[in-house]
Amino acid sequence: MGRPAGANRNTKERLLEASAELFSQLGYAGTSVKAIAGAVGIKDASIYNYFPSKEALFSEAIERERLYFAEAMDARGVFFDAATQRVAAEAPESLEAFEDFLLSYWEPFFADPRVARLRRILVLAAPCNDDARAMLLRLFYDHPLGFAGSMVEHLAAEGAMGQCNPRVAAYEVCGPALTMLGQGLAWSEAQRRLRSQYRAFTRAHSL
């Protein structure tokens, strides 16, 4: 008698979770099938009952984390269309509201352990994995820049701020946060610094 379908799904989820954690610590090349199996408590060969290869396991693990990232953004009213590279959100009506919206947007990048873990996985894998490199750029660079640029466009069109180049303003808004992510700052410190940066942005672009 075979295992119940629920047991198979549970083992698969445990493999995805264990592999994501190991990939985030050791990188793709440094994580062995044996280590993943050991973390879940199964034999090495049993992994191939669920995934045809280590590469397939990696691909599904990062896709699982990408979906979590999308849900975290959706919860903040931000939607990213991967096909068009456009970001949709309920646009703020003032530069002051934009400050708060930006801080809400950046919080999961710093404070959500799974979003931070996904970024570590992609950074470690990007030099040797095209899919990881593309996802890293899409989620952690294109997404923030598209989000900020679309908000600036809206605010300028509504007369809530002075006219400016939305792409340049997006880099102005996102640059400090991306730098702080690279530095590994805790959200409490990053939030304080970003608040100061965005107040300066508001002063510079107010009508």
Side-chain angles (χ1 to χ4, degrees):
M1 184 175 179
R3 289 185 178 182
N8 288 335
R9 283 195 298 272
N10 183 55
T11 300
K12 185 174 182 178
E13 280 298 307
R14 289 168 60 211
L15 285 168
L16 289 168
E17 176 62 24
S19 64
E21 191 61 31
L22 288 168
F23 288 139
S24 75
Q25 296 173 10
L26 305 173
Y28 177 79
T31 300
S32 66
V33 168
K34 181 177 181 178
I36 297 169
V40 175
I42 63 175
K43 296 179 180 179
D44 304 5
S46 297
I47 284 183
Y48 300 107
N49 293 328
Y50 303 91
F51 303 96
S53 64
K54 175 184 166 183
E55 183 177 358
L57 171 55
F58 177 78
S59 295
E60 191 162 337
I62 62 173
E63 177 60 14
R64 174 177 178 262
E65 300 309 299
R66 184 198 68 78
L67 290 172
Y68 178 85
F69 174 92
E71 291 171 0
M73 291 295 103
D74 286 348
R76 284 164 170 73
V78 181
F79 171 74
F80 180 68
D81 186 337
T84 64
Q85 302 293 303
R86 293 292 295 174
V87 178
E90 184 179 343
E93 297 304 316
S94 68
L95 275 171
E96 290 74 15
F98 186 38
E99 289 182 29
D100 292 330
F101 204 28
L102 282 167
L103 290 172
S104 175
Y105 172 83
W106 283 114
E107 183 176 4
F109 285 78
F110 290 86
D112 189 313
R114 283 187 66 176
V115 174
R117 182 175 70 180
L118 173 59
R119 184 177 176 276
R120 288 196 305 272
I121 293 170
L122 298 176
V123 166
L124 290 172
C128 59
N129 186 291
D130 290 342
D131 290 341
R133 181 165 58 252
M135 188 180 291
L136 176 66
L137 292 173
R138 187 168 69 250
L139 300 186
F140 293 92
Y141 295 93
D142 294 342
H143 190 296
L145 289 169
F147 160 73
S150 68
M151 297 300 97
V152 168
E153 275 187 306
H154 169 80
L155 288 166
E158 294 297 313
M161 65 180 289
Q163 293 294 323
C164 63
N165 184 315
R167 188 69 174 174
V168 172
Y171 277 104
E172 187 178 350
V173 164
C174 296
L178 293 174
T179 298
M180 292 175 205
L181 272 177
Q183 293 171 333
L185 289 189
W187 173 236
S188 57
E189 178 62 16
Q191 183 181 34
R192 183 185 67 78
R193 295 189 188 186
L194 286 173
R195 175 70 77 180
S196 177
Q197 292 279 347
Y198 295 150
R199 284 176 179 165
F201 179 88
T202 295
R203 290 194 297 271
H205 292 279
S206 295
L207 291 172

